[in-house]
Structure formats: structure tokens, C-alpha cells
Amino acid sequence: MTLRFRRFLTACVVPAAVFQSVNIGGGYGTGRELVEYFTQYGPLGGLMGLALAFVLLSVAVSVTYEYARRFQAFDYRTFFRSLIGRFWPAFEALYILMFVLAVSVALAGASAVVQSAFGLPGYAGAAAMTVAVCALIFFGARILALAMTWWSLALYAALALFMVVMLTKFSAPIAETLKQGTANPGWARSALQYALYSSVAVPAVLFAVKPLETATESVAAGILSALLFMTPAAAFHLAFLAGYPAITAEALPVYAMLEAAALPALTLIYTIVLFGTLIETGAGVIQGLIARVDAALVEKRGAPASRRLHFLVAALGFAVAIALSQFGVIALIAKGYGLLAWGFLGVYIAPLLTVGVWRLMATNKQEPAADARP
């Protein structure tokens, strides 16, 4: 392995894998999130929405990575104190709401998956996920980043297998649906909402971008993050076209397609990988919150929180999320994510692409030597 390739893995692949792992949660992995924001707008509308969301995410993630690198802001508290000054608590309030919502969706997804795949009570899935997430948090950010990276490979393998099966068994209905070229009104607005709330995961994974050394690496890591995240979304959308438009009413669209394929072994494999992904989502989001707590304690007393306190923060967060998860995957995704997206536009994306870009341009002349490094 060459030094350049090793550098690419450390600086670009790991942040992208962590970003993907945090974002691909209960709504994404079960397919409900993608049906809600893309597939329901038709075959062509969904594809155009996916392309727009990829472009928007690439820009937002790349700029965020570079801003964090340039100003050494590797937790969201430090990041937003630098970006929006005394108004940074506005992001924190929205982020905590999103944190609770994201974990709630993952828990609701875990409950639904366990019920659908194994016929067990939903609380068994939620309990197993809670224990696994708390264990990962207890062992720290380095172990969490490593687990996310390797599990991302397992997820991609499962998604590739899912797509091969779907395209093989349902190629004719997928092609026939694509020929319709339907684009329902609202696809662009929906794609914007999706990009807005998906980008909120970036400040939660800033702990993984510390190795970045140049602006080129920041942009490469940002584009790769968006690519790794949106590629499975496009694959899901194509697969769902085999069951369009009925698939748009399914709470667990992926399982509806697996049931139609009648392959129990594939269903079992996907269930295992999806459950691990749900665990990653919860752990990644909570790790972002813990990084914020650590930054506050370091500023106040010069030392981060203990592992025991990390564990307690995780447990408290899950207690609240479990209560919200009772509303179910469909309601949480359709109502919660859409509303929060507009709030994040005001406190995160708009300042980032105006004030943030201006500051980066103003300090760019200070780093010619750094960006020229081989």
C-alpha cells in the first residue's frame, strides 16, 4: 500500500464512511425515507431529485469539512461558535431535536425490523440496539470510527447483493416504469429538504475529519461523502420502481421488495446488516453529542468527560428517543425531518455558504504552502 493511497484512506475514505454510517439509519435502510423524498415523485422525478440532492450535499459537506479543518473546529459546539458566534445555541437546540428524532427513527426501525423479520416483540429490537450503542460509545470515538468504516463495507456488500437480485428478478417492470418518465410536482423542494436535514449529520462527525491537511482533501472527502451516501439511495429508488406506485404506501419498502423476491436467505442477510447500521446511526449521532460535552468540560475544567459519563449521556438520550419512537417510522420521517430541515437552512447552511465561504476565501492566502504539499 503506497503512502499516497494510505493518505487517501485516512483523510477521505474514513470521514466519508463515518458520514454515510451516521446518515444511513432506520428511515434510509428500510427504504421509507427514500420513498418519502424521492420515489413518490415518480421515476424521473425521483432521479432528478437524487441528482440535485447529491450536488447540494457535495457543496455543503465539502465546505463544512474545510471550515472545520481551517479553523480547527472538530466538534459542533466549536464549529458553530466560530461560524455564527453568540447565536450558536440556536443550532444546538435544533441539533438536539434532530438527535432525538434520528435515534427515535432508528429505534422505530429496529422495532419494525425485528417484528417483520423474526416475529419478536418490537421492544426486543429497541433494547438490543440500545445496549449495543452504549457499548460502542463506552469504548470511544476511535473504536466507533473503525467499526463504522468496516460495517460500511458490509452494508455496501448487502446493498450490492440486494440490487443484483432486484435487477435480475424485476428488470422488466423496472424498465417499464422508467419508460413512463413521470416527474410529479414538488421533487426539487423535496430534494432540497432531504439535502438540508441530511447535511446536519456533518457537524456530528467532525471528530473523523481531523486528519485533513489541505483544501483539496476537504473537497475530495466531501464529494466522496455525498457519493457514498447517495449511491445506495439511487439503487433503492430503481429497485422500488418494480413495485411503483404501490410501494409508496409501505412502511418498510425494502422488506416489501424482499418478500416479493421470495428469498429468505437474502432477507436474513439484509436484516443483520441493517440492524448493525441502525446501531451505527445511534452511536454516531450520540458520539457527536458526547464530543460537544467533552469540549465544554475541557474548556471549563481542562479535561474531557469520563467513559462512565459518556455512557450516562448515551443512556439518557436513548430514554427520550424510545418514548418518541412509539410514533412509528412513517410519521417521524414525514413530519419531523421536513420541519427541521428549514430550521437548519437558517442556522447552518445559509451562514455556511455566505459567512463561512467568505472567511475561507479571506484566509485562503495564508495556506498556499499547505495545499501544495505532495
Coordinates of all heavy atoms in Angstrom, one line a residue, residues 61-143:
V61 N -21.1 19.6 2.4 CA -20.2 18.8 3.2 C -18.8 19.2 3.0 O -18.0 19.3 3.9 CB -20.4 17.3 2.8 CG1 -19.4 16.4 3.6 CG2 -21.8 16.8 3.2
S62 N -18.4 19.5 1.7 CA -17.0 20.0 1.4 C -16.7 21.3 2.1 O -15.6 21.4 2.7 CB -16.9 20.2 -0.1 OG -17.0 18.9 -0.8
V63 N -17.6 22.2 2.1 CA -17.3 23.5 2.8 C -17.3 23.3 4.3 O -16.4 23.9 5.0 CB -18.4 24.5 2.4 CG1 -18.2 25.8 3.2 CG2 -18.4 24.8 0.9
T64 N -18.1 22.5 4.8 CA -18.1 22.2 6.3 C -16.7 21.6 6.7 O -16.1 22.0 7.7 CB -19.2 21.3 6.7 OG1 -20.5 21.9 6.4 CG2 -19.2 21.0 8.2
Y65 N -16.3 20.5 5.9 CA -15.0 19.9 6.2 C -13.9 20.9 6.2 O -13.0 20.9 7.1 CB -14.7 18.8 5.2 CG -15.5 17.5 5.4 CD1 -15.5 16.5 4.5 CD2 -16.4 17.3 6.5 CE1 -16.2 15.3 4.6 CE2 -17.1 16.2 6.7 CZ -17.0 15.1 5.7 OH -17.7 14.0 5.9
E66 N -13.9 21.7 5.2 CA -12.8 22.7 5.0 C -12.8 23.8 6.1 O -11.8 24.2 6.6 CB -12.8 23.4 3.6 CG -11.8 24.4 3.4 CD -10.3 23.9 3.5 OE1 -10.1 22.7 3.7 OE2 -9.4 24.8 3.5
Y67 N -14.0 24.2 6.5 CA -14.1 25.2 7.5 C -13.6 24.6 8.9 O -12.9 25.2 9.6 CB -15.6 25.7 7.7 CG -15.7 26.9 8.6 CD1 -15.8 28.2 8.0 CD2 -15.9 26.8 9.9 CE1 -15.9 29.3 8.8 CE2 -16.0 27.9 10.7 CZ -16.0 29.1 10.2 OH -16.2 30.3 11.0
A68 N -14.0 23.3 9.1 CA -13.6 22.7 10.4 C -12.1 22.5 10.4 O -11.4 22.7 11.4 CB -14.2 21.3 10.5
R69 N -11.5 22.1 9.2 CA -10.0 22.0 9.1 C -9.3 23.3 9.3 O -8.4 23.4 10.1 CB -9.7 21.4 7.8 CG -8.2 21.2 7.6 CD -7.8 20.9 6.1 NE -7.9 22.1 5.3 CZ -6.9 22.9 5.1 NH1 -5.8 22.8 5.8 NH2 -7.0 24.0 4.3
R70 N -9.8 24.3 8.6 CA -9.1 25.6 8.6 C -9.1 26.3 10.0 O -8.1 26.9 10.4 CB -9.8 26.6 7.6 CG -9.0 27.8 7.3 CD -7.8 27.6 6.4 NE -8.2 27.1 5.1 CZ -8.6 27.9 4.1 NH1 -8.6 29.2 4.2 NH2 -8.9 27.3 2.9
F71 N -10.2 26.1 10.7 CA -10.4 26.8 12.0 C -10.3 25.8 13.2 O -10.7 26.2 14.3 CB -11.7 27.6 12.0 CG -11.7 28.7 11.0 CD1 -12.5 28.5 9.8 CD2 -11.0 29.9 11.1 CE1 -12.5 29.5 8.9 CE2 -11.0 30.9 10.2 CZ -11.8 30.7 9.0
Q72 N -9.9 24.6 12.9 CA -9.7 23.6 13.9 C -10.9 23.4 14.8 O -10.8 23.4 16.1 CB -8.4 23.9 14.8 CG -7.1 23.9 14.0 CD -6.8 22.5 13.5 OE1 -6.4 21.7 14.3 NE2 -6.9 22.3 12.2
A73 N -12.0 23.3 14.2 CA -13.3 23.1 14.9 C -13.9 21.7 14.7 O -14.6 21.5 13.8 CB -14.3 24.2 14.3
F74 N -13.5 20.8 15.5 CA -13.7 19.4 15.3 C -14.9 18.9 16.2 O -15.0 17.6 16.4 CB -12.5 18.6 15.5 CG -11.4 18.9 14.5 CD1 -10.2 19.4 15.0 CD2 -11.6 18.8 13.2 CE1 -9.2 19.8 14.0 CE2 -10.6 19.1 12.2 CZ -9.4 19.6 12.7
D75 N -15.6 19.7 16.8 CA -16.9 19.4 17.4 C -17.9 20.5 17.1 O -17.5 21.6 16.7 CB -16.8 19.2 18.9 CG -16.5 20.5 19.6 OD1 -15.3 20.9 19.7 OD2 -17.5 21.2 20.0
Y76 N -19.2 20.1 17.1 CA -20.2 21.1 16.6 C -20.3 22.4 17.4 O -20.6 23.4 16.9 CB -21.5 20.4 16.3 CG -22.4 20.2 17.6 CD1 -23.1 21.3 18.1 CD2 -22.5 19.0 18.1 CE1 -23.9 21.1 19.2 CE2 -23.3 18.7 19.2 CZ -24.0 19.8 19.8 OH -24.8 19.6 20.9
R77 N -20.0 22.3 18.7 CA -20.0 23.5 19.5 C -19.0 24.5 19.1 O -19.3 25.7 18.9 CB -19.9 23.1 21.0 CG -19.9 24.3 22.0 CD -19.9 23.8 23.4 NE -19.8 24.8 24.4 CZ -18.7 25.3 24.9 NH1 -17.5 24.8 24.6 NH2 -18.8 26.3 25.8
T78 N -17.7 24.0 18.9 CA -16.7 24.9 18.5 C -16.9 25.4 17.1 O -16.7 26.6 16.8 CB -15.3 24.1 18.5 OG1 -15.1 23.6 19.8 CG2 -14.2 25.0 18.1
F79 N -17.4 24.5 16.2 CA -17.7 24.9 14.9 C -18.7 26.0 14.8 O -18.5 27.0 14.1 CB -18.3 23.7 14.1 CG -18.5 23.9 12.6 CD1 -17.5 23.6 11.7 CD2 -19.7 24.4 12.2 CE1 -17.8 23.8 10.4 CE2 -20.0 24.6 10.8 CZ -19.0 24.3 9.9
F80 N -19.8 25.9 15.5 CA -20.8 27.0 15.4 C -20.6 28.2 16.2 O -21.0 29.3 15.8 CB -22.2 26.4 15.7 CG -22.8 25.6 14.6 CD1 -22.6 24.2 14.6 CD2 -23.4 26.1 13.5 CE1 -23.1 23.4 13.5 CE2 -23.8 25.4 12.4 CZ -23.7 24.0 12.5
R81 N -19.8 28.1 17.2 CA -19.3 29.3 17.9 C -18.4 30.1 16.9 O -18.4 31.4 16.9 CB -18.5 29.0 19.1 CG -19.4 28.5 20.3 CD -18.7 28.1 21.5 NE -18.1 29.3 22.2 CZ -17.5 29.3 23.3 NH1 -17.3 28.1 23.9 NH2 -17.0 30.4 23.9
S82 N -17.7 29.5 16.1 CA -16.8 30.2 15.1 C -17.7 30.7 14.0 O -17.5 31.8 13.5 CB -15.8 29.2 14.5 OG -15.1 29.8 13.5
L83 N -18.7 29.9 13.5 CA -19.5 30.3 12.3 C -20.5 31.4 12.6 O -20.6 32.4 11.9 CB -20.1 29.1 11.7 CG -21.0 29.3 10.5 CD1 -20.1 29.8 9.3 CD2 -21.7 28.0 10.1
I84 N -21.3 31.2 13.7 CA -22.4 32.2 13.9 C -22.3 32.8 15.3 O -23.3 33.5 15.7 CB -23.8 31.5 13.8 CG1 -23.9 30.3 14.7 CG2 -24.0 31.1 12.3 CD1 -25.3 29.6 14.6
G85 N -21.2 32.7 15.9 CA -20.9 33.5 17.2 C -21.9 33.2 18.3 O -22.2 32.0 18.6
R86 N -22.5 34.2 18.9 CA -23.3 34.0 20.1 C -24.6 33.3 19.8 O -25.4 33.0 20.7 CB -23.6 35.4 20.8 CG -24.4 36.3 20.0 CD -24.7 37.6 20.8 NE -25.6 38.5 20.2 CZ -25.2 39.5 19.4 NH1 -24.0 39.7 19.1 NH2 -26.1 40.3 18.8
F87 N -25.0 33.2 18.5 CA -26.2 32.5 18.1 C -26.0 31.0 18.0 O -27.0 30.3 17.6 CB -26.7 33.1 16.8 CG -27.0 34.5 16.8 CD1 -26.2 35.5 16.2 CD2 -28.1 35.0 17.5 CE1 -26.4 36.8 16.2 CE2 -28.4 36.4 17.5 CZ -27.5 37.3 16.9
W88 N -24.9 30.5 18.4 CA -24.6 29.1 18.2 C -25.6 28.2 19.0 O -25.9 27.1 18.5 CB -23.2 28.7 18.6 CG -22.9 28.8 20.1 CD1 -22.4 29.8 20.7 CD2 -23.1 27.7 21.0 NE1 -22.2 29.5 22.1 CE2 -22.7 28.2 22.3 CE3 -23.5 26.4 21.0 CZ2 -22.7 27.5 23.4 CZ3 -23.6 25.7 22.1 CH2 -23.2 26.2 23.3
P89 N -26.2 28.6 20.1 CA -27.1 27.8 20.8 C -28.4 27.4 20.0 O -29.1 26.5 20.2 CB -27.5 28.6 22.1 CG -26.3 29.4 22.3 CD -25.8 29.8 21.0
A90 N -28.7 28.3 19.0 CA -29.8 28.0 18.1 C -29.6 26.7 17.3 O -30.5 25.9 17.2 CB -30.0 29.2 17.1
F91 N -28.4 26.5 16.9 CA -28.1 25.2 16.2 C -28.2 24.1 17.2 O -28.7 23.0 16.9 CB -26.7 25.2 15.5 CG -26.4 23.8 15.0 CD1 -26.8 23.5 13.7 CD2 -25.7 22.9 15.7 CE1 -26.5 22.2 13.2 CE2 -25.4 21.6 15.2 CZ -25.8 21.3 14.0
E92 N -27.6 24.3 18.4 CA -27.6 23.2 19.4 C -29.1 22.8 19.7 O -29.3 21.6 19.8 CB -26.9 23.7 20.7 CG -26.9 22.6 21.7 CD -25.7 22.8 22.7 OE1 -25.7 23.8 23.3 OE2 -24.9 21.9 22.8
A93 N -30.0 23.7 19.8 CA -31.4 23.4 20.1 C -31.9 22.5 19.0 O -32.6 21.5 19.3 CB -32.2 24.6 20.3
L94 N -31.7 22.9 17.8 CA -32.2 22.2 16.7 C -31.5 20.8 16.5 O -32.1 19.8 16.2 CB -32.0 22.9 15.3 CG -33.0 24.1 15.2 CD1 -32.6 24.9 13.9 CD2 -34.4 23.7 15.1
Y95 N -30.2 20.8 16.8 CA -29.5 19.6 16.7 C -29.9 18.5 17.7 O -30.0 17.4 17.4 CB -28.0 19.8 16.9 CG -27.2 18.6 16.9 CD1 -26.9 17.9 15.7 CD2 -26.7 18.0 18.0 CE1 -26.2 16.7 15.6 CE2 -26.0 16.8 18.0 CZ -25.7 16.2 16.8 OH -25.1 15.0 16.8
I96 N -30.2 19.0 18.9 CA -30.7 18.1 20.0 C -32.0 17.5 19.6 O -32.3 16.3 19.7 CB -30.8 18.8 21.3 CG1 -29.4 19.1 21.9 CG2 -31.5 17.9 22.3 CD1 -29.3 19.9 23.1
L97 N -32.9 18.3 19.0 CA -34.2 17.8 18.4 C -33.9 16.8 17.3 O -34.6 15.7 17.3 CB -35.0 18.9 17.9 CG -35.6 19.9 18.9 CD1 -36.3 21.1 18.2 CD2 -36.6 19.2 19.9
M98 N -33.0 17.1 16.4 CA -32.7 16.1 15.4 C -32.0 14.9 15.9 O -32.3 13.8 15.4 CB -31.7 16.8 14.4 CG -31.3 15.9 13.2 SD -32.7 15.3 12.2 CE -32.9 16.6 11.1
F99 N -31.2 15.0 16.9 CA -30.5 13.9 17.6 C -31.6 12.9 18.1 O -31.6 11.7 17.9 CB -29.6 14.4 18.7 CG -29.5 13.4 19.8 CD1 -28.7 12.3 19.7 CD2 -30.1 13.7 21.1 CE1 -28.6 11.4 20.8 CE2 -29.9 12.8 22.1 CZ -29.2 11.6 22.0
V100 N -32.5 13.5 18.8 CA -33.6 12.7 19.4 C -34.4 12.0 18.3 O -34.8 10.8 18.4 CB -34.5 13.5 20.4 CG1 -35.7 12.7 20.8 CG2 -33.7 14.0 21.6
L101 N -34.7 12.8 17.3 CA -35.5 12.3 16.2 C -34.8 11.2 15.4 O -35.4 10.1 15.1 CB -35.9 13.4 15.2 CG -36.8 13.1 14.0 CD1 -38.1 12.6 14.5 CD2 -37.0 14.3 13.1
A102 N -33.5 11.4 15.1 CA -32.7 10.4 14.4 C -32.6 9.1 15.1 O -32.8 8.0 14.6 CB -31.3 10.9 14.1
V103 N -32.4 9.2 16.4 CA -32.3 7.9 17.2 C -33.7 7.3 17.4 O -33.8 6.1 17.3 CB -31.7 8.2 18.6 CG1 -31.6 7.0 19.5 CG2 -30.3 8.8 18.5
S104 N -34.7 8.1 17.4 CA -36.1 7.6 17.5 C -36.4 6.8 16.2 O -37.0 5.8 16.3 CB -37.1 8.7 17.7 OG -36.8 9.4 18.9
V105 N -36.1 7.4 15.1 CA -36.3 6.7 13.8 C -35.6 5.4 13.8 O -36.1 4.4 13.3 CB -35.9 7.6 12.6 CG1 -35.9 6.8 11.3 CG2 -36.9 8.8 12.5
A106 N -34.3 5.4 14.2 CA -33.5 4.2 14.2 C -34.1 3.1 15.2 O -34.2 1.9 14.8 CB -32.1 4.5 14.7
L107 N -34.6 3.6 16.3 CA -35.2 2.6 17.2 C -36.5 2.1 16.7 O -36.8 0.9 16.8 CB -35.5 3.3 18.6 CG -34.3 3.6 19.5 CD1 -34.6 4.5 20.6 CD2 -33.8 2.2 20.1
A108 N -37.3 3.0 16.1 CA -38.6 2.5 15.4 C -38.3 1.6 14.3 O -39.0 0.6 14.1 CB -39.4 3.7 14.9
G109 N -37.2 1.8 13.6 CA -36.8 0.9 12.5 C -36.4 -0.4 13.1 O -36.7 -1.5 12.5
A110 N -35.6 -0.4 14.1 CA -35.1 -1.7 14.8 C -36.3 -2.5 15.2 O -36.4 -3.7 15.1 CB -34.2 -1.4 15.9
S111 N -37.3 -1.8 15.8 CA -38.5 -2.5 16.3 C -39.3 -3.1 15.2 O -39.7 -4.3 15.2 CB -39.4 -1.5 17.1 OG -38.8 -1.0 18.2
A112 N -39.4 -2.3 14.1 CA -40.2 -2.8 12.9 C -39.5 -4.0 12.2 O -40.1 -5.0 11.8 CB -40.4 -1.7 11.9
V113 N -38.1 -3.9 12.1 CA -37.4 -5.0 11.5 C -37.5 -6.2 12.3 O -37.7 -7.3 11.7 CB -35.9 -4.5 11.4 CG1 -35.0 -5.7 11.0 CG2 -35.8 -3.4 10.3
V114 N -37.3 -6.2 13.6 CA -37.4 -7.4 14.4 C -38.8 -8.0 14.4 O -38.9 -9.2 14.3 CB -37.0 -7.0 15.9 CG1 -37.4 -8.1 16.8 CG2 -35.6 -6.7 16.0
Q115 N -39.8 -7.2 14.3 CA -41.2 -7.7 14.2 C -41.4 -8.4 12.9 O -41.9 -9.5 12.8 CB -42.2 -6.6 14.4 CG -42.3 -6.2 15.9 CD -43.4 -5.0 16.0 OE1 -43.3 -4.1 15.2 NE2 -44.2 -5.2 17.0
S116 N -40.9 -7.7 11.8 CA -41.2 -8.2 10.4 C -40.3 -9.4 10.1 O -40.8 -10.4 9.5 CB -40.9 -7.1 9.4 OG -41.0 -7.5 8.1
A117 N -39.1 -9.4 10.5 CA -38.2 -10.5 10.1 C -38.2 -11.7 11.0 O -38.1 -12.9 10.6 CB -36.7 -10.0 10.1
F118 N -38.4 -11.5 12.3 CA -38.4 -12.6 13.3 C -39.6 -12.8 14.1 O -39.7 -13.8 14.8 CB -37.2 -12.3 14.3 CG -35.9 -12.1 13.6 CD1 -35.2 -10.9 13.7 CD2 -35.3 -13.1 12.9 CE1 -34.0 -10.7 13.1 CE2 -34.1 -12.9 12.3 CZ -33.4 -11.7 12.4
G119 N -40.6 -11.9 13.9 CA -41.9 -12.1 14.7 C -41.7 -11.9 16.1 O -42.6 -12.3 16.9
L120 N -40.7 -11.2 16.6 CA -40.5 -10.9 18.0 C -41.1 -9.5 18.4 O -41.4 -8.7 17.5 CB -39.0 -10.8 18.3 CG -38.2 -12.1 18.1 CD1 -36.7 -11.8 18.3 CD2 -38.7 -13.2 19.1
P121 N -41.4 -9.3 19.6 CA -41.9 -8.0 20.0 C -41.0 -6.9 19.7 O -39.7 -7.0 19.7 CB -42.0 -8.1 21.6 CG -42.1 -9.6 21.8 CD -41.2 -10.2 20.8
G122 N -41.5 -5.7 19.3 CA -40.7 -4.6 18.9 C -39.7 -4.1 19.9 O -38.6 -3.7 19.6
Y123 N -40.1 -4.2 21.2 CA -39.2 -3.7 22.3 C -37.9 -4.5 22.3 O -36.9 -4.0 22.8 CB -39.9 -3.7 23.6 CG -40.3 -5.1 24.2 CD1 -39.4 -5.9 24.8 CD2 -41.7 -5.5 24.1 CE1 -39.8 -7.1 25.3 CE2 -42.0 -6.7 24.6 CZ -41.1 -7.5 25.2 OH -41.5 -8.8 25.7
A124 N -37.9 -5.8 21.8 CA -36.7 -6.6 21.9 C -35.6 -6.0 20.9 O -34.5 -5.9 21.3 CB -37.0 -8.0 21.4
G125 N -36.1 -5.5 19.8 CA -35.1 -4.8 18.9 C -34.6 -3.5 19.4 O -33.4 -3.2 19.3
A126 N -35.5 -2.7 20.0 CA -35.1 -1.5 20.6 C -34.1 -1.7 21.8 O -33.1 -1.0 21.9 CB -36.3 -0.7 21.1
A127 N -34.3 -2.7 22.6 CA -33.5 -3.0 23.7 C -32.1 -3.4 23.3 O -31.1 -3.0 23.8 CB -34.1 -4.0 24.6
A128 N -32.1 -4.3 22.3 CA -30.8 -4.8 21.7 C -30.0 -3.7 21.1 O -28.7 -3.6 21.3 CB -31.0 -5.9 20.7
M129 N -30.6 -2.8 20.4 CA -29.9 -1.7 19.8 C -29.4 -0.7 20.9 O -28.2 -0.2 20.8 CB -30.9 -0.9 18.9 CG -30.3 0.3 18.3 SD -31.4 1.2 17.2 CE -30.6 2.8 17.1
T130 N -30.1 -0.5 21.9 CA -29.7 0.4 23.0 C -28.4 -0.1 23.7 O -27.5 0.6 23.9 CB -30.8 0.6 24.0 OG1 -32.0 1.1 23.4 CG2 -30.4 1.5 25.1
V131 N -28.4 -1.4 24.0 CA -27.2 -2.0 24.6 C -26.0 -1.9 23.7 O -24.9 -1.6 24.2 CB -27.5 -3.5 25.0 CG1 -26.3 -4.2 25.5 CG2 -28.6 -3.5 26.1
A132 N -26.2 -2.2 22.4 CA -25.1 -2.2 21.5 C -24.5 -0.8 21.3 O -23.3 -0.6 21.3 CB -25.5 -2.8 20.2
V133 N -25.3 0.2 21.2 CA -24.9 1.6 21.0 C -24.1 2.0 22.3 O -23.0 2.6 22.2 CB -26.1 2.5 20.7 CG1 -25.6 4.0 20.9 CG2 -26.6 2.3 19.4
C134 N -24.7 1.8 23.4 CA -24.0 2.2 24.7 C -22.6 1.5 24.8 O -21.7 2.2 25.3 CB -24.9 1.9 25.9 SG -26.3 2.9 26.0
A135 N -22.5 0.3 24.4 CA -21.2 -0.4 24.4 C -20.2 0.3 23.5 O -19.1 0.5 23.9 CB -21.4 -1.9 24.0
L136 N -20.6 0.6 22.3 CA -19.7 1.3 21.3 C -19.3 2.6 21.9 O -18.1 3.0 21.8 CB -20.4 1.5 20.0 CG -20.4 0.3 19.0 CD1 -21.3 0.6 17.8 CD2 -19.0 -0.1 18.6
I137 N -20.2 3.4 22.4 CA -19.9 4.7 23.0 C -18.9 4.5 24.1 O -18.0 5.3 24.3 CB -21.2 5.4 23.5 CG1 -22.1 5.7 22.3 CG2 -20.8 6.7 24.2 CD1 -21.4 6.7 21.3
F138 N -19.0 3.5 24.9 CA -18.2 3.3 26.1 C -16.7 3.1 25.6 O -15.8 3.6 26.3 CB -18.6 2.1 26.9 CG -17.8 1.8 28.1 CD1 -18.0 2.5 29.3 CD2 -16.8 0.9 28.1 CE1 -17.3 2.3 30.4 CE2 -16.1 0.6 29.2 CZ -16.3 1.3 30.4
F139 N -16.5 2.5 24.5 CA -15.1 2.2 24.0 C -14.5 3.4 23.3 O -13.3 3.3 22.9 CB -15.1 1.0 23.2 CG -15.3 -0.3 24.0 CD1 -16.4 -1.0 23.9 CD2 -14.3 -0.7 24.8 CE1 -16.6 -2.2 24.7 CE2 -14.4 -1.9 25.6 CZ -15.6 -2.6 25.5
G140 N -15.3 4.5 23.0 CA -14.7 5.7 22.5 C -14.7 5.9 21.0 O -15.1 5.0 20.2
A141 N -14.3 7.1 20.6 CA -14.5 7.6 19.2 C -13.6 6.8 18.2 O -14.1 6.5 17.1 CB -14.2 9.1 19.1
R142 N -12.4 6.4 18.6 CA -11.5 5.7 17.7 C -12.1 4.3 17.3 O -12.2 3.9 16.1 CB -10.2 5.5 18.3 CG -9.1 4.9 17.4 CD -7.8 4.8 18.0 NE -7.8 3.8 19.1 CZ -7.6 2.5 18.9 NH1 -7.5 2.0 17.6 NH2 -7.6 1.6 19.9
I143 N -12.6 3.6 18.3 CA -13.2 2.3 18.0 C -14.5 2.4 17.2 O -14.8 1.7 16.3 CB -13.5 1.5 19.4 CG1 -12.2 1.3 20.1 CG2 -14.3 0.2 19.1 CD1 -11.3 0.4 19.4

